[in-house]
mmCIF file of all heavy atoms in Angstrom:
data_model
loop_
_atom_site.group_PDB
_atom_site.id
_atom_site.type_symbol
_atom_site.label_atom_id
_atom_site.label_comp_id
_atom_site.label_asym_id
_atom_site.label_seq_id
_atom_site.Cartn_x
_atom_site.Cartn_y
_atom_site.Cartn_z
ATOM 1 N N GLY H 363 2.552 -4.574 -10.970
ATOM 2 C CA GLY H 363 3.948 -4.319 -10.672
ATOM 3 C C GLY H 363 4.119 -3.806 -9.257
ATOM 4 O O GLY H 363 3.198 -3.242 -8.667
ATOM 5 N N ASP H 364 5.304 -4.006 -8.686
ATOM 6 C CA ASP H 364 5.602 -3.581 -7.330
ATOM 7 C C ASP H 364 5.991 -2.100 -7.294
ATOM 8 O O ASP H 364 6.521 -1.562 -8.267
ATOM 9 C CB ASP H 364 6.744 -4.412 -6.746
ATOM 10 C CG ASP H 364 6.367 -5.874 -6.560
ATOM 11 O OD1 ASP H 364 5.154 -6.162 -6.493
ATOM 12 O OD2 ASP H 364 7.281 -6.716 -6.486
ATOM 13 N N THR H 365 5.754 -1.478 -6.150
ATOM 14 C CA THR H 365 6.095 -0.065 -5.976
ATOM 15 C C THR H 365 7.089 0.107 -4.820
ATOM 16 O O THR H 365 8.258 0.373 -5.048
ATOM 17 C CB THR H 365 4.842 0.779 -5.749
ATOM 18 O OG1 THR H 365 4.101 0.274 -4.608
ATOM 19 C CG2 THR H 365 3.948 0.766 -6.978
ATOM 20 N N TYR H 366 6.658 -0.064 -3.589
ATOM 21 C CA TYR H 366 7.550 0.144 -2.449
ATOM 22 C C TYR H 366 7.089 -0.663 -1.250
ATOM 23 O O TYR H 366 5.973 -1.186 -1.215
ATOM 24 C CB TYR H 366 7.626 1.620 -2.073
ATOM 25 C CG TYR H 366 6.300 2.228 -1.628
ATOM 26 C CD1 TYR H 366 5.834 2.080 -0.325
ATOM 27 C CD2 TYR H 366 5.519 2.976 -2.511
ATOM 28 C CE1 TYR H 366 4.631 2.629 0.088
ATOM 29 C CE2 TYR H 366 4.317 3.542 -2.109
ATOM 30 C CZ TYR H 366 3.882 3.351 -0.808
ATOM 31 O OH TYR H 366 2.685 3.892 -0.411
ATOM 32 N N ILE H 367 7.970 -0.777 -0.288
ATOM 33 C CA ILE H 367 7.626 -1.342 1.016
ATOM 34 C C ILE H 367 7.544 -0.195 2.014
ATOM 35 O O ILE H 367 8.455 0.631 2.098
ATOM 36 C CB ILE H 367 8.690 -2.353 1.481
ATOM 37 C CG1 ILE H 367 8.768 -3.533 0.507
ATOM 38 C CG2 ILE H 367 8.381 -2.866 2.887
ATOM 39 C CD1 ILE H 367 9.929 -4.468 0.790
ATOM 40 N N SER H 368 6.465 -0.165 2.745
ATOM 41 C CA SER H 368 6.257 0.892 3.728
ATOM 42 C C SER H 368 5.995 0.240 5.084
ATOM 43 O O SER H 368 4.880 -0.183 5.375
ATOM 44 C CB SER H 368 5.060 1.759 3.315
ATOM 45 O OG SER H 368 4.856 2.813 4.212
ATOM 46 N N PRO H 369 7.007 0.117 5.925
ATOM 47 C CA PRO H 369 6.859 -0.688 7.144
ATOM 48 C C PRO H 369 5.878 -0.086 8.152
ATOM 49 O O PRO H 369 5.867 1.121 8.396
ATOM 50 C CB PRO H 369 8.273 -0.705 7.735
ATOM 51 C CG PRO H 369 8.940 0.511 7.174
ATOM 52 C CD PRO H 369 8.353 0.694 5.811
ATOM 53 N N ILE H 370 5.052 -0.953 8.711
ATOM 54 C CA ILE H 370 4.195 -0.548 9.816
ATOM 55 C C ILE H 370 5.056 -0.518 11.075
ATOM 56 O O ILE H 370 6.052 -1.252 11.185
ATOM 57 C CB ILE H 370 3.010 -1.519 9.982
ATOM 58 C CG1 ILE H 370 1.925 -0.934 10.893
ATOM 59 C CG2 ILE H 370 3.476 -2.863 10.508
ATOM 60 C CD1 ILE H 370 0.639 -1.771 10.900
ATOM 61 N N ALA H 371 4.702 0.338 12.025
ATOM 62 C CA ALA H 371 5.486 0.437 13.264
ATOM 63 C C ALA H 371 4.570 0.769 14.432
ATOM 64 O O ALA H 371 3.481 1.328 14.253
ATOM 65 C CB ALA H 371 6.571 1.502 13.132
ATOM 66 N N PHE H 372 5.024 0.406 15.614
ATOM 67 C CA PHE H 372 4.348 0.821 16.847
ATOM 68 C C PHE H 372 4.980 2.124 17.309
ATOM 69 O O PHE H 372 6.210 2.273 17.313
ATOM 70 C CB PHE H 372 4.489 -0.249 17.928
ATOM 71 C CG PHE H 372 3.520 -1.384 17.779
ATOM 72 C CD1 PHE H 372 3.811 -2.461 16.954
ATOM 73 C CD2 PHE H 372 2.307 -1.370 18.448
ATOM 74 C CE1 PHE H 372 2.925 -3.504 16.805
ATOM 75 C CE2 PHE H 372 1.403 -2.415 18.305
ATOM 76 C CZ PHE H 372 1.709 -3.484 17.481
ATOM 77 N N TYR H 373 4.132 3.050 17.717
ATOM 78 C CA TYR H 373 4.573 4.352 18.221
ATOM 79 C C TYR H 373 4.004 4.554 19.620
ATOM 80 O O TYR H 373 2.973 3.970 19.985
ATOM 81 C CB TYR H 373 4.085 5.482 17.312
ATOM 82 C CG TYR H 373 4.577 5.390 15.890
ATOM 83 C CD1 TYR H 373 3.874 4.651 14.946
ATOM 84 C CD2 TYR H 373 5.741 6.046 15.487
ATOM 85 C CE1 TYR H 373 4.323 4.560 13.635
ATOM 86 C CE2 TYR H 373 6.190 5.962 14.180
ATOM 87 C CZ TYR H 373 5.483 5.214 13.258
ATOM 88 O OH TYR H 373 5.933 5.133 11.960
ATOM 89 N N SER H 374 4.676 5.380 20.405
ATOM 90 C CA SER H 374 4.209 5.643 21.758
ATOM 91 C C SER H 374 4.692 7.014 22.225
ATOM 92 O O SER H 374 5.791 7.438 21.870
ATOM 93 C CB SER H 374 4.713 4.572 22.733
ATOM 94 O OG SER H 374 4.303 4.862 24.062
ATOM 95 N N LYS H 375 3.870 7.669 22.995
ATOM 96 C CA LYS H 375 4.270 8.925 23.623
ATOM 97 C C LYS H 375 4.774 8.695 25.052
ATOM 98 O O LYS H 375 5.226 9.636 25.703
ATOM 99 C CB LYS H 375 3.088 9.898 23.651
ATOM 100 C CG LYS H 375 2.663 10.406 22.278
ATOM 101 C CD LYS H 375 1.580 11.465 22.395
ATOM 102 C CE LYS H 375 1.230 12.048 21.037
ATOM 103 N NZ LYS H 375 0.180 13.101 21.149
ATOM 104 N N LYS H 376 4.703 7.437 25.505
ATOM 105 C CA LYS H 376 5.008 7.141 26.902
ATOM 106 C C LYS H 376 6.159 6.167 27.095
ATOM 107 O O LYS H 376 6.834 6.203 28.135
ATOM 108 C CB LYS H 376 3.755 6.575 27.593
ATOM 109 C CG LYS H 376 2.526 7.469 27.469
ATOM 110 C CD LYS H 376 1.266 6.751 27.954
ATOM 111 C CE LYS H 376 0.025 7.591 27.702
ATOM 112 N NZ LYS H 376 -1.222 6.867 28.074
ATOM 113 N N TYR H 377 6.384 5.291 26.122
ATOM 114 C CA TYR H 377 7.344 4.212 26.316
ATOM 115 C C TYR H 377 8.348 4.157 25.164
ATOM 116 O O TYR H 377 8.048 4.532 24.040
ATOM 117 C CB TYR H 377 6.617 2.875 26.454
ATOM 118 C CG TYR H 377 5.597 2.884 27.570
ATOM 119 C CD1 TYR H 377 4.238 3.062 27.298
ATOM 120 C CD2 TYR H 377 5.982 2.758 28.895
ATOM 121 C CE1 TYR H 377 3.291 3.098 28.315
ATOM 122 C CE2 TYR H 377 5.054 2.798 29.926
ATOM 123 C CZ TYR H 377 3.710 2.973 29.631
ATOM 124 O OH TYR H 377 2.792 3.029 30.655
ATOM 125 N N LYS H 378 9.550 3.680 25.468
ATOM 126 C CA LYS H 378 10.634 3.621 24.493
ATOM 127 C C LYS H 378 10.713 2.277 23.770
ATOM 128 O O LYS H 378 11.311 2.181 22.700
ATOM 129 C CB LYS H 378 11.970 3.900 25.186
ATOM 130 C CG LYS H 378 12.059 5.286 25.825
ATOM 131 C CD LYS H 378 11.977 6.387 24.771
ATOM 132 C CE LYS H 378 12.158 7.761 25.416
ATOM 133 N NZ LYS H 378 12.039 8.857 24.413
ATOM 134 N N LYS H 379 10.139 1.249 24.363
ATOM 135 C CA LYS H 379 10.142 -0.070 23.745
ATOM 136 C C LYS H 379 8.958 -0.876 24.273
ATOM 137 O O LYS H 379 8.423 -0.584 25.360
ATOM 138 C CB LYS H 379 11.456 -0.801 24.011
ATOM 139 C CG LYS H 379 11.847 -0.885 25.469
ATOM 140 C CD LYS H 379 13.245 -1.491 25.619
ATOM 141 C CE LYS H 379 13.654 -1.519 27.093
ATOM 142 N NZ LYS H 379 14.998 -2.105 27.277
ATOM 143 N N LEU H 380 8.569 -1.900 23.511
ATOM 144 C CA LEU H 380 7.415 -2.695 23.907
ATOM 145 C C LEU H 380 7.650 -3.440 25.212
ATOM 146 O O LEU H 380 6.710 -3.674 25.985
ATOM 147 C CB LEU H 380 7.059 -3.695 22.794
ATOM 148 C CG LEU H 380 6.553 -3.096 21.479
ATOM 149 C CD1 LEU H 380 6.265 -4.209 20.474
ATOM 150 C CD2 LEU H 380 5.299 -2.249 21.700
ATOM 151 N N ALA H 381 8.891 -3.795 25.484
ATOM 152 C CA ALA H 381 9.195 -4.519 26.723
ATOM 153 C C ALA H 381 8.876 -3.685 27.965
ATOM 154 O O ALA H 381 8.724 -4.235 29.066
ATOM 155 C CB ALA H 381 10.663 -4.932 26.732
ATOM 156 N N ASP H 382 8.778 -2.358 27.809
ATOM 157 C CA ASP H 382 8.497 -1.477 28.947
ATOM 158 C C ASP H 382 7.011 -1.387 29.272
ATOM 159 O O ASP H 382 6.643 -0.786 30.292
ATOM 160 C CB ASP H 382 9.022 -0.065 28.661
ATOM 161 C CG ASP H 382 10.531 -0.003 28.556
ATOM 162 O OD1 ASP H 382 11.195 -0.896 29.119
ATOM 163 O OD2 ASP H 382 11.046 0.930 27.906
ATOM 164 N N LEU H 383 6.146 -1.956 28.433
ATOM 165 C CA LEU H 383 4.704 -1.826 28.658
ATOM 166 C C LEU H 383 4.297 -2.515 29.954
ATOM 167 O O LEU H 383 4.635 -3.686 30.179
ATOM 168 C CB LEU H 383 3.922 -2.428 27.492
ATOM 169 C CG LEU H 383 4.123 -1.787 26.113
ATOM 170 C CD1 LEU H 383 3.316 -2.537 25.067
ATOM 171 C CD2 LEU H 383 3.738 -0.309 26.140
ATOM 172 N N PRO H 384 3.557 -1.833 30.810
ATOM 173 C CA PRO H 384 3.120 -2.446 32.072
ATOM 174 C C PRO H 384 1.912 -3.355 31.857
ATOM 175 O O PRO H 384 1.265 -3.320 30.805
ATOM 176 C CB PRO H 384 2.744 -1.231 32.923
ATOM 177 C CG PRO H 384 2.265 -0.224 31.919
ATOM 178 C CD PRO H 384 3.137 -0.410 30.712
ATOM 179 N N ALA H 385 1.618 -4.148 32.836
ATOM 180 C CA ALA H 385 0.425 -4.995 32.783
ATOM 181 C C ALA H 385 -0.812 -4.108 32.609
ATOM 182 O O ALA H 385 -0.943 -3.065 33.251
ATOM 183 C CB ALA H 385 0.304 -5.823 34.053
#
Side-chain angles (χ1 to χ4, degrees):
D364 294 339
T365 56
Y366 62 82
I367 298 172
S368 182
I370 194 171
F372 280 85
Y373 300 87
S374 178
K375 292 186 176 181
K376 305 170 186 176
Y377 304 100
K378 299 296 184 182
K379 53 186 178 180
L380 294 179
D382 294 337
L383 298 178

